[in-house]
Amino acid sequence: MTGTHTAGGTTSAAPPAVLDGSPANESAGGDGAAGERLRRWRLVLGGEADGTGYAPGGQDAAMDAALTALYGKAPKSGRGRDRSAGLGASAPSVARWLGDIRRYFPSSVVQVMQRDAIERLDLSSLLLEPEMLQAVEPDVHLVGTLLSLHKAMPETTRETARAVVRQVVRDLEKRLAARTRSTLSGALDRSARTSRPRHHDIDWNRTIAANLKHYLPEHGTIVPERLIGYGRAARSVRKEVVLCIDQSGSMAPSVVYSAVFGAVLASMRSLSTRLVVFDTSVVDLTEQLDDPVDVLFGTQLGGGTDINRALAYCQSKITRPADTVVVLISDLYEGGIRDGMLRRVAAMKAAGVQFVTLLALSDEGAPAYDREHAAALAALGAPAFACTPDHFPDVMAAALERREIPIPDTAPQRA
């Protein structure tokens, strides 16, 4: 359902669709489906929706108050005309509101409302209070906000913030780690070729392609003189991966997911993983990859962007181009030397590096990005597209095997 929650005659952004499955209040609004529709419209539209004939009571009244506190006030305007926020200025008041929404709404909706509260009511500074952090519902967006604030946090808040971040990281690892290791282990096995494979290790597509000249039309078959098969990945390092991550403020969710994936890749013996973050400076966080929380607190979200400088650093660390995959995670809004960035990508590809650009690594949907730079990279044969965390293992597997990258159909740019 869509609509606007209003207060004092001012229309503001619509609250999230949170009403499905909530118990109906029977004090007004009629019975059955028609009454339930009126109830939902009243909760979505807010206090000005007297025409519904529905008067919230009990739990519905509490839900209505929580929605009004957030969506019943206009957000602070960039034109210098501020309206008062509905949650009050004190941390205890906000903490109580956070407790209310966690009581009345499901976790996915709570995360949306928290994000809206931080953006609409300028509550970032209150996250410096330990009481606030203990009341919030941890999610990727909250982690991004905490990372942008952590330099300003008092010592009493930092440990609480790290606990919040660690909980989110732990949940992401549970969701993503096992599948990533399984997918990439198989890719590393298949990337090793042998000319004397066992029967179940034969790569039939490559074997047929290599023996087409031995086709016997009278028998309708190929007599292979050379078998090509999958080898078995040794325990030594077979491939090198460089994750080059833009840490500008708009990339916060991508930074969180990248830190988790970086730690997972670093745990695989057959991979040598390097993680580099950049804005206008470049920081190598490879030594901290055993703990993604340390990686995240080693970043500094915000600032400018110098992709060319970051790629120059990554390029200097490549020792085996043909066995290296470079993943640039950036919205491509370059503040450095554009032509230099493109020349470096072209040089790495010419040397044999597999180069992939992710415009975002998140569940956010279509990202904002520099279309001109994305098209230029695509023209170089370096695919540029947005990627969800669930799709990332398949992208990495294809890059390690040096086969066509599985670009989503909704991707904005193709190679």
Side-chain angles (χ1 to χ4, degrees):
M1 178 181 293
T2 60
T4 56
H5 204 81
T6 60
T10 300
T11 302
S12 60
V18 298
L19 307 178
D20 291 340
S22 299
N25 185 303
E26 298 178 357
S27 64
D31 299 323
E36 178 64 9
R37 270 197 305 274
L38 291 176
R39 167 185 171 270
R40 294 185 182 188
W41 274 114
R42 168 59 183 78
L43 290 174
V44 169
L45 294 173
E48 298 300 308
D50 294 335
T52 62
Y54 179 80
Q59 180 169 305
D60 279 355
M63 293 172 63
D64 186 58
L67 290 168
T68 299
L70 175 56
Y71 299 104
K73 299 287 184 180
K76 291 192 175 182
S77 169
R79 300 177 182 175
R81 185 181 51 151
D82 294 348
R83 294 181 61 89
S84 60
L87 301 183
S90 65
S93 174
V94 181
R96 283 194 297 272
W97 179 80
L98 287 168
D100 287 344
I101 64 173
R102 292 178 74 174
R103 176 181 177 186
Y104 297 122
F105 304 105
S107 176
S108 59
V109 173
V110 169
Q111 292 172 9
V112 173
M113 295 179 73
Q114 285 178 172
R115 187 158 70 248
D116 286 349
I118 292 169
E119 293 174 357
R120 289 171 54 79
L121 304 179
D122 194 22
L123 299 183
S124 297
S125 61
L126 289 178
L127 293 178
L128 303 179
E129 300 287 342
E131 296 82 2
M132 275 283 291
L133 289 179
Q134 292 168 357
V136 294
E137 184 80 20
D139 72 334
V140 169
H141 298 280
L142 178 63
V143 170
T145 302
L146 293 178
L147 295 179
S148 68
L149 296 171
H150 80 271
K151 297 292 186 184
M153 285 181 179
E155 197 63 37
T156 55
T157 306
R158 287 181 182 173
E159 284 306 311
T160 306
R162 286 185 71 90
V164 171
V165 173
R166 189 169 296 282
Q167 180 179 337
V168 173
V169 167
R170 185 167 56 245
D171 292 343
L172 291 178
E173 286 181 319
K174 288 180 182 178
R175 168 187 161 193
L176 301 170
R179 179 170 176 269
T180 300
R181 291 192 184 97
S182 174
T183 300
L184 298 191
S185 294
L188 289 165
D189 278 349
R190 292 190 295 271
S191 68
R193 304 291 171 180
T194 178
S195 59
R196 300 183 64 183
R198 293 173 292 184
H199 179 75
H200 62 275
D201 288 333
I202 295 174
D203 182 341
W204 289 107
N205 289 333
R206 288 177 179 262
T207 296
I208 291 170
N211 291 277
L212 287 175
K213 61 183 178 181
H214 304 304
Y215 178 68
L216 301 178
E218 64 274 20
H219 296 289
T221 189
I222 291 174
V223 178
E225 290 190 356
R226 182 165 67 96
L227 297 177
I228 300 175
Y230 305 123
R232 294 297 168 188
R235 289 187 177 272
S236 60
V237 172
R238 302 195 61 88
K239 297 286 185 179
E240 297 182 1
V241 174
V242 180
L243 299 178
C244 186
I245 307 165
D246 184 344
Q247 61 175 353
S248 58
S250 60
M251 299 296 294
S254 297
V255 172
V256 176
Y257 283 113
S258 297
V260 173
F261 277 118
V264 173
L265 298 179
S267 71
M268 301 180 66
R269 294 183 179 180
S270 297
L271 288 177
S272 174
T273 303
R274 183 176 296 277
L275 189 143
V276 176
V277 298
F278 67 92
D279 41 36
T280 52
S281 60
V282 180
V283 180
D284 192 327
L285 297 176
T286 302
E287 296 301 318
Q288 301 176 40
L289 273 176
D290 58 330
D291 187 346
V293 176
D294 286 342
V295 170
L296 289 172
F297 278 94
T299 64
Q300 179 59 59
L301 294 177
T305 307
D306 192 340
I307 303 173
N308 179 56
R309 184 176 183 180
L311 291 181
Y313 177 83
C314 295
Q315 189 178 21
S316 71
K317 298 298 180 180
I318 295 174
T319 58
R320 299 187 299 157
D323 294 320
T324 299
V325 177
V326 174
V327 182
L328 171 64
I329 304 174
S330 173
D331 55 17
L332 300 179
Y333 288 110
E334 172 65 309
I337 305 172
R338 174 187 184 273
D339 292 340
M341 175 187 75
L342 297 176
R343 283 196 299 271
R344 291 194 189 281
V345 174
M348 282 189 273
K349 285 189 61 64
V353 173
Q354 287 284 89
F355 194 95
V356 178
T357 302
L358 302 183
L359 304 171
L361 178 57
S362 70
D363 292 308
E364 299 269 297
Y369 65 98
D370 189 306
R371 295 178 181 275
E372 183 179 353
H373 288 163
L377 287 173
L380 293 174
F385 57 97
C387 179
T388 65
D390 290 329
H391 191 61
F392 183 75
D394 297 323
V395 169
M396 286 302 303
L400 291 170
E401 292 183 75
R402 306 185 71 84
R403 55 182 169 84
E404 184 177 358
I405 303 297
I407 302 175
D409 291 337
T410 56
Q413 291 291 338
R414 285 181 168 271

